[in-house]
Amino acid sequence: MLAGATALTLTSAFALVVLVGAVQVLSGTGHPHLGWLPISLVGALSLAAGAVLGMGVGRAVPSVLTPPVLAVGALVFTNVLRVSDERAVPEAAVSNRLSLLSPAVAQVREVLFTLSAAVHVGQTLWLLGLAATGFALLAAATPRARLLALAPVLAGTALALLVLPSDPRRTYVVDEAAARQVCDGPVCVTNTHRARLADLTDPGRKALGLLHAALGDGAPVVIHESTTPRELGAVPERYDGVLMVDFDDGTIAGARGDALVRALVAQGMAPVCRPRSDREGGPAVETAAQSIAAAWVLGDLLPLDGNGHSRADQIALAEPVWRELKALPRAEQLARINAMRAAALGCEADPLGALAGKGESP
């Protein structure tokens, strides 16, 4: 009874937290889905199994040292099996199957990632084995019975290792329904962010028109949200004729109206080589180059917000280069703008330096 009550208390507390998130997902105007449900159920099962197993071990080995030893052992276990999320697809230092015996999976960095069905099934088998061993240890009265109580966890482990995927790319997978593009004319976002489409469409159309007027046939003609997972710090994906947007970038995600038009023009003129997000910060020279590129199209120099660099720092970097650029004949301005775009697209040169003429031949 005590084991059941403890497990119920833990899972009920966990369920309250999950319920709050469920209400936010299902009542939101974005992409309502039930992909969180199996993950949450496995999480609840891990709490219940851990509680029952802990009490079973405590009864089999009655000592004041048993609880702290179990706590430290669980901490070491989860740390050894910890998964790094810095790669495009999260990977662990140990084998993928072994790492998935820990309920602490990788922190979500890509909003489109989810866990495959094989992970849910394998972890469920493993946790059910743990729980069954815990109950068996609680009921065991003899050394032989305690030894036999290990059978469920061994069987659960064997079955789990057969089911769990060996390849990280079959563990963390892109949710195809969430990644499906939803479009309004030339402006497209993923199904997950469809609520943003209304705010993005008009500024997006205006930005594409301005870019075409400035760049001609070399300008992007459509706007797409990025859907390709990447490593931290890796160059974002880019395609000819496509202005790629990433809502992890606060410069775009936090902008509205005219500010969003400016941010989209800046990204279309000089795509960033170093991504910007909560865990990444692009260099100030890239942001300054984007500010100048947008000013060349829109006519006035204004800093971009949401990129981790202060407005004063951006202006200090951009204003001298902007004044020099505006003083040049139109043909020379265009040559420097083209050099800046080549530097931004190739990620092998400094776009701000190109605008300042530092890459020009003597």
Side-chain angles (χ1 to χ4, degrees):
M1 288 294 294
L2 179 60
T6 303
L8 181 61
T9 301
L10 285 172
T11 53
S12 297
F14 178 74
L16 288 176
V17 177
V18 172
L19 182 61
V20 173
V23 171
Q24 293 175 339
V25 170
L26 296 177
S27 65
T29 56
H31 168 53
H33 62 94
L34 295 176
W36 52 271
L37 187 57
I39 298 173
S40 301
L41 291 174
V42 172
L45 178 59
S46 71
L47 289 175
V52 173
L53 179 66
M55 286 185 289
V57 173
R59 187 177 187 282
V61 188
S63 169
V64 293
L65 296 178
T66 299
V69 168
L70 285 176
V72 172
L75 179 61
V76 171
F77 178 77
T78 54
N79 272 318
V80 169
L81 303 185
R82 185 171 55 184
V83 178
S84 171
D85 65 343
E86 294 184 357
R87 304 291 298 273
V89 177
E91 293 183 9
V94 298
S95 73
N96 190 67
R97 283 194 176 104
L98 188 60
S99 72
L100 291 173
L101 295 181
S102 168
V105 294
Q107 178 182 352
V108 174
R109 182 169 60 84
E110 296 284 352
V111 69
L112 300 177
F113 264 154
T114 189
L115 291 168
S116 65
V119 175
H120 303 321
V121 174
Q123 289 189 331
T124 298
L125 291 171
W126 154 246
L127 293 170
L128 287 174
L130 285 180
T133 289
F135 278 115
L137 287 174
L138 284 171
T142 65
R144 178 182 173 81
R146 295 188 185 101
L147 186 61
L148 290 174
L150 299 177
V153 70
L154 294 176
T157 303
L159 290 173
L161 292 176
L162 288 174
V163 173
L164 291 170
S166 60
D167 188 344
R169 289 170 296 183
R170 293 193 293 114
T171 301
Y172 301 91
V173 295
V174 173
D175 185 332
E176 294 183 2
R180 180 172 55 85
Q181 295 285 333
V182 179
C183 301
D184 187 342
V187 181
C188 300
V189 298
T190 62
N191 199 24
T192 293
H193 291 137
R194 65 187 307 156
R196 294 180 179 265
L197 184 60
D199 291 333
L200 184 65
T201 298
D202 287 342
R205 290 176 184 271
K206 185 174 181 181
L208 289 174
L210 290 166
L211 288 167
H212 184 268
L215 301 174
D217 292 340
V221 294
V222 293
I223 295 175
H224 280 189
E225 182 183 353
S226 174
T227 60
T228 302
R230 56 172 179 79
E231 295 184 14
L232 280 175
V235 176
E237 62 181 329
R238 52 194 63 191
Y239 304 101
D240 291 340
V242 182
L243 195 166
M244 302 299 299
V245 297
D246 186 347
F247 289 117
D248 287 336
D249 184 349
T251 302
I252 292 174
R256 297 291 185 275
D258 290 342
L260 181 54
V261 173
R262 182 175 294 272
L264 292 172
V265 169
Q267 177 67 8
M269 291 290 292
V272 294
C273 293
R274 294 284 299 277
R276 298 180 293 225
S277 69
D278 291 341
R279 298 179 59 182
E280 302 161 300
V285 291
E286 275 196 344
T287 302
Q290 282 195 325
S291 299
I292 296 170
W296 191 76
V297 175
L298 297 171
D300 55 339
L301 179 65
L302 292 175
L304 300 170
D305 294 323
N307 50 62
H309 303 290
S310 70
R311 297 171 70 89
D313 288 346
Q314 291 181 59
I315 291 297
L317 278 172
E319 192 167 24
V321 180
W322 170 241
R323 286 201 303 265
E324 179 184 347
L325 181 68
K326 288 295 291 180
L328 296 173
R330 181 69 179 180
E332 293 185 30
Q333 290 183 30
L334 185 58
R336 291 197 181 185
I337 288 293
N338 288 335
M340 177 271 302
R341 278 183 55 75
L345 291 170
C347 295
E348 295 180 355
D350 172 16
L352 187 62
L355 285 169
K358 294 181 180 178
E360 293 179 353
S361 301

